[in-house]
Amino acid sequence: MRGMTRFAFAALGVLSVASTCFAIGTTPDWGQYGGNAQHAAISMVPAQPLNQILWSHQIDLNRQYSGNSLLIHYGSPLISRRGTIILAVKTGATGTYRMEALTPAGLPMWTQNLDYVTPSSSWIPSCGSALVNGQNLVSPGAGGTILVHQAVDVKPSGNGTDASVVVPGIRTCFFGMPKYNAAKATYNANVKIACPLTVGLDGSIFFSFRTTGVTPVGLKSGFARQMTNGVGRWVSASNACNDVNCIPALNCAPALSPDGTVVYCAAFSTSNGRAYLLGLDSKTLQTKYKVGLVDPESGANAGIFDQGTSSPMVGPDGDVYYGFLQNPFWWNSGLSQARNNDRGWMVHFNSTLNVQKPTGSFGWDDTASIVPSWAVPQYLGASPYLLLTKYNNYASVGGDGANKLAVLDPNDTQLHIGADYHVGSDINVMKEVVTVTGPTPDDDFPGFPNAVREWCINTAAVDPIGHCAIVNSEDGKCYHWNFDTNTLDQVLTLTAGVGEAYTPTVIGPNGVSYAVNNGIVFAMGAGS
């Protein structure tokens, strides 16, 4: 496959991408965080050239800046099979959301108000909705409930282009609507969905939730599974981990195995910080697999940070990847230089979590994307797929500021040289296949001549047919990373480079790309 021309490969059709690469999904909709239930972030259609901004739409109506930054994570744009764009729009200062649907041309179709309240965090968590079967919307609601909006591609009767039209959702609940209705105020105050929703091929919805008080049914922070009709079940994180103080990782969307039988999620102890990666039975939520996460360099228990958004990603072969923070890290240790320059690590396990494989040297706030090996002509190794990851190297805590993107071989290694401050030996990490450095100098670090602005993605859309990825930068620009030439050969300026947050990029079924900068979604493509 690697020797095929782009034209010849494209002629094989969309199904070939799925069957030869990952065999998980055969439709071009982008229905959830990372595109599918494995969070592979791989497009089934080629991306249009980044010639122009087609339209833009504000998704934060009350932006709260800290200096030039927005300390928030925005939900992924969703694209239905027919091309309808669905966006979570923040209307209040620290919360209050509504869902808005737009036509492919960016024209308003309908809105749906949400009563969802995010868990407390110094960075506002994402409001992560998802599509079921590419056409029905499920969104987080108050008290751990889910709102279901059917037929997202259909305009409401009457003036269907009026953005004031509010479409009501059908409320469902994993522990039963009668129980929720009997004590709404209690559940609304004490139960909050804590991550983007993940939807399996059978329509199952998976998510984590956090509790802050006592509820009539004895809910305790944990993981839930429900169908759109509300039939569901849950398990506490403490029971799943066999650790009484465990809670789910915030912003961490569960990921499903390719066959849908295992759901992978992460949790940590509030008493000692011990972090776990879990494989739960997707039907019963009983723990099948569990592993304690360890910093590969220090040997200390790994950290999970509520300000991050890394989620498990499951490869075509069932291997599991997950990013976490190194231990120690400067943020809570007072160190002037940090182990691994505060880049975190990306752990790699087999499907049963009992065999650890090569570790990636960046991971704390990034979910890896799948790149078929044939999409990177320079690659001559044996792995059937590669990984795309953010590869920042923070100047303020020991790095040189040469922030990069990387395509890595998950099964081969190279020597990793640690930061100046570290204990123990240098280790082997995933081998770099190609890397590209950000192009915009970072004036915030005048003592670092190689410092460039950070990449501000938390999952990047990969176009294997076009041998490229669409990536967003803190400099306010969106780039087309060409794997054939290893260059950033197309660029669109979206903003002046302020108010950036770690956000996903998306490719829709018509090849239009979407990126979020400064609380605004931009649609990018070839134009007329």
Side-chain angles (χ1 to χ4, degrees):
M1 293 294 293
R2 191 172 298 114
M4 297 182 68
T5 66
R6 184 178 307 178
F7 175 82
F9 175 75
L12 294 178
V14 167
L15 183 59
S16 292
V17 180
S19 62
T20 62
C21 173
F22 50 96
I24 40 180
T26 57
T27 58
D29 58 279
W30 200 282
Q32 53 195 300
Y33 179 79
N36 60 20
Q38 290 71 40
H39 310 317
I42 188 166
S43 176
M44 307 298 289
V45 296
Q48 294 184 21
L50 298 185
N51 289 352
Q52 66 183 68
I53 297 172
L54 305 177
W55 52 263
S56 63
H57 192 83
Q58 190 166 341
I59 59 170
D60 192 338
L61 307 184
N62 200 329
R63 289 173 286 202
Q64 301 294 303
Y65 294 96
S66 175
N68 287 332
S69 299
L70 284 169
L71 304 185
I72 184 172
H73 298 293
Y74 295 109
S76 175
L78 307 177
I79 319 293
S80 78
R81 293 176 184 175
R82 295 185 179 180
T84 300
I85 298 95
I86 302 113
L87 305 170
V89 176
K90 184 171 77 71
T91 58
T94 59
T96 313
Y97 292 87
R98 67 173 180 244
M99 304 303 298
E100 297 187 6
L102 309 177
T103 68
L107 300 176
M109 290 177 62
W110 52 261
T111 67
Q112 175 180 289
N113 291 335
L114 302 182
D115 53 10
Y116 175 60
V117 177
T118 61
S120 176
S121 176
S122 56
W123 285 42
I124 299 174
S126 60
C127 175
S129 298
L131 293 175
V132 178
N133 298 321
Q135 55 190 356
N136 297 328
L137 177 69
V138 288
S139 300
T145 62
I146 298 289
L147 292 175
V148 181
H149 173 206
Q150 297 180 341
V152 296
D153 299 308
V154 178
K155 295 180 181 179
S157 59
N159 185 4
T161 62
D162 185 349
S164 66
V165 173
V166 177
V167 179
I170 301 170
R171 191 179 300 275
T172 61
C173 184
F174 68 93
F175 55 88
M177 280 303 298
K179 295 175 182 176
Y180 171 77
N181 287 331
K184 285 184 182 180
T186 299
Y187 289 111
N188 290 351
N190 294 311
V191 184
K192 295 179 174 66
I193 291 175
C195 69
L197 306 180
T198 295
V199 176
L201 293 177
D202 65 351
S204 299
I205 308 162
F206 299 90
F207 55 93
S208 66
F209 61 92
R210 286 189 178 181
T211 57
T212 54
V214 177
T215 63
V217 297
L219 291 177
K220 188 176 180 181
S221 297
F223 307 99
R225 171 192 184 270
Q226 75 160 71
M227 305 301 290
T228 55
N229 62 5
V231 175
R233 61 176 60 238
W234 66 279
V235 63
S236 69
S238 58
N239 283 345
C241 297
N242 194 26
D243 186 328
V244 68
N245 294 306
C246 270
I247 61 174
L250 192 62
N251 290 312
C252 181
L256 285 172
S257 60
D259 64 4
T261 62
V262 182
V263 56
Y264 296 96
C265 42
F268 66 94
S269 170
T270 57
S271 63
N272 58 22
R274 181 66 161 149
Y276 300 92
L277 184 61
L278 303 168
L280 310 181
D281 184 286
S282 64
K283 299 296 184 184
T284 66
L285 297 187
Q286 295 300 303
T287 301
K288 297 181 67 173
Y289 318 119
K290 181 184 78 170
V291 62
L293 300 179
V294 174
D295 185 308
E297 191 177 38
S298 70
N301 291 341
I304 292 180
F305 203 21
D306 268 359
Q307 295 182 7
T309 57
S310 60
S311 296
M313 190 278 288
V314 183
D317 52 2
D319 280 7
V320 184
Y321 304 86
Y322 178 64
F324 55 81
L325 204 60
Q326 73 284 344
N327 186 10
F329 70 112
W330 80 271
W331 202 301
N332 68 353
S333 63
L335 301 172
S336 60
Q337 290 183 310
R339 181 183 304 280
N340 199 28
N341 308 335
D342 269 4
R343 304 171 77 231
W345 305 97
M346 181 173 60
V347 74
H348 174 195
F349 288 99
N350 69 337
S351 61
T352 56
L353 307 183
N354 64 344
V355 176
Q356 187 161 0
K357 300 184 179 183
T359 297
S361 64
F362 186 99
W364 83 270
D365 191 37
D366 188 69
T367 303
S369 305
I370 291 289
V371 181
S373 58
W374 44 258
V376 184
Q378 302 93 322
Y379 182 66
L380 301 175
S383 295
Y385 67 90
L386 308 172
L387 305 177
L388 187 154
T389 180
K390 184 165 60 179
Y391 225 54
N392 291 336
N393 194 16
Y394 306 113
S396 58
V397 286
D400 61 3
N403 298 312
K404 301 179 180 180
L405 299 164
V407 171
L408 307 175
D409 187 335
N411 300 305
D412 201 356
T413 61
Q414 67 184 46
L415 184 65
H416 170 73
I417 305 299
D420 291 339
Y421 174 85
H422 70 283
V423 179
S425 302
D426 295 320
I427 64 171
N428 287 322
V429 294
M430 291 181 190
K431 188 173 183 177
E432 299 170 9
V433 178
V434 289
T435 66
V436 65
T437 305
T440 305
D442 193 338
D443 297 335
D444 289 341
F445 301 100
F448 295 83
N450 297 321
V452 295
R453 299 296 293 271
E454 294 181 20
W455 296 99
C456 59
I457 50 173
N458 56 20
T459 173
V462 173
D463 166 14
I465 299 174
H467 294 193
C468 67
I470 306 299
V471 289
N472 214 19
S473 172
E474 192 183 55
D475 64 8
K477 299 177 173 66
C478 191
Y479 295 88
H480 174 277
W481 182 15
N482 186 325
F483 298 147
D484 291 341
T485 61
N486 193 27
T487 58
L488 302 170
D489 63 349
Q490 299 171 24
V491 58
L492 274 178
T493 299
L494 307 182
T495 71
V498 297
E500 303 310 331
Y502 294 151
T503 55
T505 50
V506 167
I507 300 172
N510 58 356
V512 171
S513 298
Y514 302 86
V516 181
N517 281 67
N518 197 22
I520 302 169
V521 167
F522 294 86
M524 304 165 292
S528 56

